[in-house]
Amino acid sequence: MLFRSSVVGRELMLIKVKAQDRAAVLQLVEVFRAKVVDFGSDAVTIEATGARDKLEAFVDVLAPFGIKEIVQSGVVALARGSRGMSDRAARGLEK
């Protein structure tokens, strides 16, 4: 694995929350720089990206509203700068 400081990594999470208090949910979406991707009559689906700790904190604040579903990707990463991850591995920088 490459050193953490040499990569940019993110995870994606989709969260479906009960829509009883939409105004409060939308406020949290704004605070966490997430976005609403679907409104239903009884649920709001939110897309959030970032580091795992940010996503876990977002889930924690949404939990009281009633989470209906969650799906989460693993980490997706690219090397920082102009070189690709395979370039760095070829130069022996992989650890």
Side-chain angles (χ1 to χ4, degrees), residues 19-77:
Q20 295 171 353
D21 190 352
R22 285 183 190 219
V25 170
L26 293 177
Q27 189 174 29
L28 290 170
V29 165
E30 188 174 322
V31 167
F32 278 84
R33 295 185 181 147
K35 67 180 184 178
V36 173
V37 293
D38 186 56
F39 273 111
S41 60
D42 63 343
V44 177
T45 302
I46 303 159
E47 174 188 310
T49 59
R52 181 166 298 190
D53 57 343
K54 173 191 168 186
L55 298 178
E56 289 172 355
F58 192 37
V59 169
D60 289 345
V61 299
L62 289 174
F65 296 97
I67 295 174
K68 297 175 75 116
E69 280 186 277
I70 296 177
V71 292
Q72 183 174 0
S73 73
V75 176
V76 177

